[in-house]
Amino acid sequence: PVQSGPFVIAARDQGGRLHEIQVDSAGPYLIPRLFPGAYRLQVYRDSDHDGRLTLGQAFPFMPAERFFVYADSVVLRSRWPNEGNDIILPR
């Protein structure tokens, strides 16, 4: 089944703080106001529009929302663009 709804893209820093944005469709994205450091990127499709990742349930059956965690930390440097950390969002 095709899921619909916005994508929630999050960057978690080494201190555990979460920086989230919501985008309505696949394409370029920007997470503003990130300080230099290492971040873990994750994304999920908010198909039930509740603003949080739904893990599903067994009875009555409801599948989990699609999610993805980037394989490695992304390191941001001061005054340098950070490109090429591509997460291909499903349509």
Side-chain angles (χ1 to χ4, degrees), residues 72-90:
D72 197 7
S73 294
V74 174
V75 178
L76 301 181
R77 299 186 309 174
S78 294
R79 297 181 296 279
W80 284 79
N82 196 325
E83 297 175 345
N85 302 306
D86 298 331
I87 298 175
I88 307 302
L89 303 174

Side-chain angles (χ1 to χ4, degrees), residues 1-10 21-27 42-55 63-68 87-91:
V2 176
Q3 290 190 359
S4 63
F7 294 98
V8 177
I9 302 171
I21 61 167
Q22 182 174 310
V23 294
D24 293 324
S25 62
Q42 58 194 43
V43 62
Y44 70 91
R45 181 161 228 166
D46 191 14
S47 58
D48 60 3
H49 302 274
D50 68 352
R52 58 191 176 112
L53 176 61
T54 302
L55 300 177
E65 292 175 323
R66 292 174 141 184
F67 68 94
F68 176 80
I87 298 175
I88 307 302
L89 303 174
R91 302 243 178 233

